[in-house]
């Protein structure tokens, strides 16, 4: 094990990082070193930014995965190589996740879904209830008759 990795592991342990965080952070720095075939302490600022672009554009990592790599690299360069934190924030920016909007169906599409998709009355009523209440799959799977409060027009969601 290299002295740089030992120092990195020691710094993470001193801060009480969880085992999974340590694994992810060490893997992120190791991946950077493998990409450039050099030690991370010899990688330039421009190469760091190029690496993040590579992760986003070519490897198509999700924003949360990119942000995990950014966090790992920021912490590594701050704690192990003692680079100024404000410089690292400008150099390694966080990625803003895209906001996903739910798909809205037309009345005709819903009518077709409820009649053709479930011709029997019981499954149709369940499907309409789940859709109308906006329940997630896990919430719908755990739905019971006693969770329906028909007098008040409410559904109690329990998991």
């Amino acid at each position: 094990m290299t002295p740089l990795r030992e120092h990195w592991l020691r710094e993470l342990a001193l801060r009480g990082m969880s085992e999974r965080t340590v694994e992810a952070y060490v893997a992120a720095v190791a991946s950077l070193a493998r990409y450039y075939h050099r030690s991370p302490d010899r990688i330039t600022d421009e190469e760091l930014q190029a690496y993040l672009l590579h992760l986003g554009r070519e490897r198509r990592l999700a924003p949360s995965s990119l942000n995990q790599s950014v966090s790992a690299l920021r912490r590594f360069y701050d704690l192990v190589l003692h680079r100024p934190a404000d410089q690292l924030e400008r150099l390694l920016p966080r990625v803003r996740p895209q906001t996903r909007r739910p798909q809205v169906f037309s009345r005709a599409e819903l009518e077709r879904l409820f009649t053709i998709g479930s011709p029997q009355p019981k499954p149709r009523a369940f499907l309409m209830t789940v859709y109308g209440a906006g329940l997630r799959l896990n919430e719908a799977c755990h739905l019971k008759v006693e969770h329906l409060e028909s007098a008040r027009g409410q559904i109690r969601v329990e998991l």
Side-chain angles (χ1 to χ4, degrees):
M1 184 180 308
T2 66
L4 213 53
R5 184 181 281 232
E6 285 179 17
H7 188 191
W8 181 220
L9 288 170
R10 188 172 59 249
E11 289 292 341
L12 293 175
L14 283 172
R15 281 154 182 76
M17 299 285 188
S18 73
E19 187 177 324
R20 301 244 343 211
T21 301
V22 169
E23 287 174 12
Y25 279 22
V26 168
V29 175
S31 178
L32 172 70
R34 271 194 313 275
Y35 183 74
Y36 284 112
H37 305 291
R38 310 197 286 273
S39 176
D41 59 344
R42 296 188 334 202
I43 293 174
T44 66
D45 292 351
E46 292 78 23
E47 289 174 325
L48 277 173
Q49 288 184 327
Y51 177 69
L52 285 181
L53 285 173
H54 161 75
L55 292 179
R57 290 183 180 165
E58 294 172 30
R59 292 206 37 216
R60 298 187 183 274
L61 292 185
S64 59
S65 299
L66 275 171
N67 284 333
Q68 186 177 45
S69 293
V70 166
S71 295
L73 295 173
R74 278 186 187 179
R75 294 295 291 247
F76 175 78
Y77 281 96
D78 177 31
L79 299 175
V80 178
L81 299 179
H82 307 293
R83 289 224 195 140
D86 58 332
Q87 175 194 5
L88 291 170
E89 284 183 30
R90 283 192 308 274
L91 181 66
L92 302 169
R94 295 208 184 281
V95 179
R96 296 185 74 186
Q98 291 179 335
T99 53
R100 292 185 358 189
R101 304 278 182 219
Q103 184 178 358
V104 179
F105 296 106
S106 68
R107 287 181 184 253
E109 290 172 322
L110 289 174
E111 185 79 29
R112 202 168 65 239
L113 174 70
F114 295 142
T115 55
I116 297 172
S118 47
Q120 302 299 319
K122 241 183 192 178
R124 184 181 313 138
F126 177 73
L127 186 61
M128 292 172 79
T129 302
V130 168
Y131 181 81
L135 298 178
R136 295 181 178 101
L137 179 62
N138 194 29
E139 294 167 343
C141 289
H142 288 89
L143 190 63
K144 296 179 183 172
V145 175
E146 54 265 18
H147 295 158
L148 304 175
E149 298 180 25
S150 56
R152 295 172 62 182
Q154 293 181 338
I155 298 174
R156 187 176 64 251
V157 177
E158 293 181 4
L159 295 178

